[in-house]
């Protein structure tokens, strides 16, 4: 398997059944869609922009340890330009030292930031229509084929992409969590499901989770919504705290 963004084969894995992958060079996050294949995750801050700091927090929520990027990937006009920032820094450090190194590096960084900023600014202005049409083409919650799946409740369950999934009448007792992870644009319905776990439901991206009846008993976070994810509780008993992160994150009906 290779990183979809920069092509590096250096991937590390985390999450239940190693469901998530991260490139150790450019830190791009992926979903493992099937053995030997990964899909790039579109991780954006609540304001809709790609933010490395938000992506780092997101990665830690998935179970990855903090890591510094070896490469930076800049997308211009649909083309990914890989900048080996770690190697550039090592080469420069080997040739200069002391205060001279500090001034030169500072000047180089400021110059690069100014050039990249100008390029991105003018490119963004000229491509607004293209960006809008691209955003309109992003997968929305509930566009997949509806399916009722069986979950034995012995291991955490995860859905992603634009799946439409219903789980009925399951009792799950887990020693690790979250018990349920809804990612991407997944639309998940838990009907009469009883969960006991350190953490209950974790919803990210633009996922939508509906909890009909049943219960969630957690010693940590019973429901956690991040980004633009929404969790709607309809008559279920919730034991444990709830939390949201992001302007679009929403939890309704939890008592």
């Amino acid at each position: 398997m290779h990183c979809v963004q920069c092509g590096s084969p250096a991937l590390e894995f985390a999450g239940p059944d190693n469901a998530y992958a991260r490139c150790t060079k450019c830190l791009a996050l992926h979903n493992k869609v099937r053995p030997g294949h990964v899909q790039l995750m579109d991780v954006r801050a609540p304001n809709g922009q790609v933010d490395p700091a938000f992506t780092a927090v997101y990665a830690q929520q998935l179970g990855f340890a903090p890591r510094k990027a070896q490469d930076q990937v800049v997308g211009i006009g649909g083309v990914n330009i890989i900048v080996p920032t770690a190697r550039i820094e090592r080469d420069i450090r080997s040739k200069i030292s002391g205060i001279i190194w500090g001034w030169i590096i500072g000047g180089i960084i400021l110059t690069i930031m100014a050039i990249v900023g100008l390029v991105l600014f003018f490119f963004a202005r000229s491509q607004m229509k293209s960006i809008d049409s691209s955003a309109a083409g992003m997968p929305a919650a509930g566009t997949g084929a509806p399916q009722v799946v069986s979950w034995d409740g012995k291991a955490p369950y995860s859905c992603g992409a634009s799946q439409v999934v219903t789980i009925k009448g399951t009792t799950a007792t887990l020693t690790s969590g979250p018990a349920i992870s809804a990612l991407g644009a997944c639309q998940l319905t838990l009907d009469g499901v009883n969960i006991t776990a350190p953490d209950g439901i974790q919803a990210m991206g633009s996922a939508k989770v509906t909890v009909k009846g049943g219960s969630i008993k957690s010693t940590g976070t019973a429901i956690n919504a991040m980004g633009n994810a929404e969790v709607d509780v309809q008559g279920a008993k919730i034991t444990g705290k709830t939390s949201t992160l992001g302007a679009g994150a929403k939890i309704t009906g939890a008592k």
Side-chain angles (χ1 to χ4, degrees):
M1 291 183 288
H2 292 75
C3 173
V4 177
Q5 179 165 265
C6 73
S8 170
L11 300 179
E12 58 183 350
F13 299 87
D17 297 324
N18 288 329
Y20 315 114
R22 180 175 68 176
C23 176
T24 60
K25 297 190 70 177
C26 71
L27 302 188
L29 296 173
H30 304 72
N31 281 319
K32 188 166 68 174
V33 294
R34 62 181 184 274
H37 293 81
V38 294
Q39 179 183 45
L40 187 66
M41 296 174 65
D42 184 21
V43 181
R44 297 179 183 269
N47 62 4
Q49 301 299 315
V50 176
D51 183 346
F54 182 86
T55 300
V57 173
Y58 192 98
Q60 292 184 51
Q61 290 286 335
L62 296 181
F64 291 103
R67 178 185 288 276
K68 182 179 179 180
Q70 298 297 306
D71 292 341
Q72 295 291 334
V73 178
V74 179
I76 299 179
V79 177
N80 287 339
I81 299 176
I82 302 173
V83 181
T85 52
R87 190 181 67 199
I88 292 173
E89 182 178 345
R90 288 196 302 270
D91 291 345
I92 294 176
R93 284 180 179 271
S94 68
K95 297 176 182 178
I96 57 179
S97 61
I99 192 168
I100 296 177
W101 173 87
W103 281 105
I104 294 177
I105 292 299
I108 291 174
I109 292 175
L110 289 175
T111 301
I112 292 175
M113 290 178 63
I115 293 173
V116 172
L118 287 172
V119 171
L120 292 179
F121 173 74
F122 287 110
F123 176 78
R125 289 188 61 184
S126 66
Q127 298 293 323
M128 285 302 295
K129 291 183 179 180
S130 175
I131 293 173
D132 290 341
S133 62
S134 175
M138 290 294 291
T143 58
Q147 55 181 322
V148 178
V149 302
S150 90
W151 176 42
D152 61 12
K154 296 179 180 179
Y157 178 81
S158 176
C159 69
S162 56
Q163 291 179 281
V164 180
V165 180
T166 298
I167 299 175
K168 294 184 177 181
T170 298
T171 297
T173 301
L174 304 175
T175 57
S176 62
I180 297 288
S181 295
L183 309 173
C186 170
Q187 181 173 295
L188 173 64
T189 300
L190 301 177
D191 189 351
V193 175
N194 296 289
I195 297 173
T196 301
D199 296 301
I201 297 173
Q202 178 176 264
M204 296 183 179
S206 59
K208 297 182 184 296
V209 181
T210 302
V211 185
K212 295 182 178 181
S215 63
I216 301 175
K217 183 177 181 181
S218 171
T219 56
T221 303
I223 302 175
N224 182 20
M226 299 177 62
N228 292 309
E230 298 180 8
V231 180
D232 182 25
V233 179
Q234 301 177 5
K237 181 178 180 181
I238 308 300
T239 303
K241 63 183 181 180
T242 62
S243 67
T244 58
L245 176 63
K250 185 186 300 183
I251 299 174
T252 57
K255 298 180 180 179

